[in-house]
Amino acid sequence: MVQERTLPKFDAATVQITKEEGLLLYEDMVLGRTFEDKCAEMYYRGKMFGFVHLYNGQEAVSSGIIKGAMRPGEDFVCSTYRDHVHALSAGVPAKEVVAELFGKATGCSKGRGGSMHMFSKEHRLLGGYAFVAEGIPVAAGAAFQTKYRREVLGDPNADQVSACFFGDGAANNGQFFETLNMAALWKLPILFVVENNKWAIGMAHERATSQPEIYKKANAFNMVGVEVDGMDILAVRAVAQEAVARARAGEGPTLIEALTYRFRGHSLADPDELRSKAEKEFWFARDPIKKLAAYMVEQNLASHEELKAVDRKIQQVIDEAVKFAESSPEPDPSELYRFVFAEDE
Ligand SMILES: Cc1ncc(C[n+]2csc(CCOP(=O)(O)OP(=O)(O)O)c2C)c(N)n1
Ligand SMILES: [Mg+2]
């Protein structure tokens, strides 16, 4: 029998959501899922190399936080090696993400990064990072500069919020503790979003940490900590909206622990033999996309036909993105040393 942590209950009746908002969230999650499925197909067809970590199952976290509560393109987003979908939610066009996976010059990191290093200055995506917990202090740096511009340089437009996504495994790393301390001390405008998917490769979360309820660690820093059902996008959105409001008001950071699950192995090279069938079934039954679709139909916010039209539209976006990436040029070898250091555009 699998011992599952009780998912916090969320009463959807407490939220108001318009048809447009619902469709935006639905579309973003479908984009994430369809993108990753195509990515797996391309990987097995030998179109890309190295480690590739997919986000299937966790979509409600990226879409609920970024699309549901932030201002994509103005606010900052910082990711991990599981970064394709955070990039998409932040507004990086799918064609630039596929091109980056293929190592093409048109990729968002100009083909230099690949799967684990999506980056976009334009979309304020601070990067994907291969080292566990590496992005946490980087996101705090972005939050610090916002606060500095506002309070020291007197820029009234400096009200941006940073969201930093990382895993349960990362929450056992020293950078997590040091950064949370500083962020709380300086009341930085930042959301620390732990995507607790129960596993760090093959290490079960409960076996690796003294306090499995990660949100409670916020207490040690005098910071607000909340847990949320990471399979329920409306719950994630509600928690994120509160945290963003707190950050913009100068009231400091929030630690959000989203309870979620990855529907695939750790990476595309992982045979995924350690997780039990019962555990997987428990979480597959909570598919965040199906949950939102059912809610939208039940609330008369959209019909099955309208939702299917979104699915078809996204399929087309992905197909076009692949064509764009396939026909894009490789980076020119004469430019090998370019972009090592920052340069004016
Ligand atoms: C500093 C560091 N140590 C070890 C690794 C190897 N590693 C890659 S992913 C991973 C597991 C991280 O799990 P988690 O933070 O829960 O994120 P998830 O993969 O579940 O999204 C480990 C140990 C690494 N990349 N960086
Ligand atoms: Mg994990």
Side-chain angles (χ1 to χ4, degrees):
M1 194 58 213
V2 197
Q3 286 292 317
E4 292 297 346
R5 188 162 143 192
T6 314
L7 287 166
K9 290 243 177 308
F10 178 73
D11 181 4
T14 59
V15 296
Q16 286 282 328
I17 185 165
T18 64
K19 177 177 183 138
E20 288 67 35
E21 286 168 337
L23 284 174
L24 177 86
L25 297 177
Y26 179 78
E27 181 171 322
D28 200 55
M29 287 202 289
V30 171
L31 175 65
R33 178 75 56 92
T34 316
F35 186 97
E36 297 291 62
D37 286 344
K38 179 59 83 178
C39 185
E41 183 192 324
M42 292 292 141
Y43 178 87
Y44 292 124
R45 282 169 55 185
K47 295 273 184 190
M48 60 183 96
F49 307 96
F51 288 109
V52 177
H53 311 82
L54 302 187
Y55 194 73
N56 298 49
Q58 303 185 198
E59 296 88 354
V61 187
S62 180
S63 301
I65 304 262
I66 303 173
K67 280 283 193 289
M70 301 179 76
R71 303 190 301 228
E74 285 181 46
D75 291 325
F76 295 93
V77 170
C78 195
S79 185
T80 65
Y81 43 82
R82 204 177 295 287
D83 59 350
H84 313 162
V85 177
H86 296 137
L88 296 170
S89 292
V92 182
K95 60 182 187 174
E96 289 184 24
V97 185
V98 187
E100 190 55 43
L101 292 171
F102 289 5
K104 299 296 184 81
T106 53
C108 60
S109 305
K110 303 191 163 51
R112 269 60 163 187
S115 172
M116 298 195 268
H117 301 285
M118 299 294 163
F119 175 82
S120 171
K121 182 177 169 187
E122 184 190 345
H123 299 94
R124 302 214 162 168
L125 174 68
L126 298 167
Y129 292 89
F131 293 126
V132 170
E134 196 186 355
I136 304 175
V138 175
F144 179 81
Q145 65 83 34
T146 299
K147 188 180 167 83
Y148 188 88
R149 280 196 294 120
R150 191 181 175 92
E151 292 182 8
V152 180
L153 305 179
D155 178 355
N157 297 322
D159 69 341
Q160 294 78 24
V161 167
S162 298
C164 181
F165 295 88
F166 51 95
D168 45 283
N172 293 322
N173 181 294
Q175 298 187 83
F176 169 79
F177 298 97
E178 292 185 38
T179 308
L180 259 67
N181 178 55
M182 278 192 276
L185 180 69
W186 295 333
K187 290 196 176 346
L188 298 185
I190 185 165
L191 275 56
F192 295 103
V193 185
V194 189
E195 304 194 46
N196 182 355
N197 59 14
K198 296 174 60 80
W199 292 86
I201 314 184
M203 173 57 77
H205 178 57
E206 291 76 11
R207 292 184 62 211
T209 196
S210 59
Q211 170 50 282
E213 292 174 283
I214 302 168
Y215 74 100
K216 290 187 177 166
K217 290 175 176 161
N219 218 2
F221 305 101
N222 204 12
M223 184 189 294
V224 180
V226 281
E227 68 172 342
V228 65
D229 178 353
M231 309 306 269
D232 182 346
I233 192 163
L234 298 181
V236 174
R237 173 178 166 270
V239 157
Q241 284 178 342
E242 259 184 50
V244 166
R246 189 177 299 123
R248 285 208 214 284
E251 291 164 18
T254 306
L255 174 63
I256 298 173
E257 181 185 7
L259 302 176
T260 184
Y261 201 67
R262 56 172 160 73
F263 286 178
R264 289 175 175 269
H266 171 73
S267 73
L268 285 172
D270 174 15
D272 192 19
E273 285 162 346
L274 289 170
R275 304 183 306 167
S276 72
K277 194 165 174 272
E279 179 180 289
K280 287 180 199 175
E281 276 165 8
F282 174 90
W283 291 93
F284 288 163
R286 284 160 180 75
D287 187 320
I289 301 181
K290 288 189 188 148
K291 189 176 173 82
L292 179 66
Y295 173 84
M296 300 261 303
V297 172
E298 189 188 288
Q299 298 288 314
N300 289 321
L301 289 170
S303 64
H304 285 295
E305 223 6 85
E306 281 173 294
L307 297 178
K308 276 199 198 117
V310 173
D311 299 349
R312 282 195 296 273
K313 177 180 138 188
I314 293 301
Q315 192 59 57
Q316 214 175 334
V317 168
I318 300 296
D319 291 345
E320 279 163 20
V322 171
K323 273 189 210 139
F324 170 86
E326 279 178 331
S327 60
S328 288
E330 306 270 344
D332 193 322
S334 71
E335 290 206 319
L336 185 63
Y337 297 111
R338 252 191 100 189
F339 309 122
V340 174
F341 298 104
E343 58 181 64
D344 293 332
E345 281 154 35

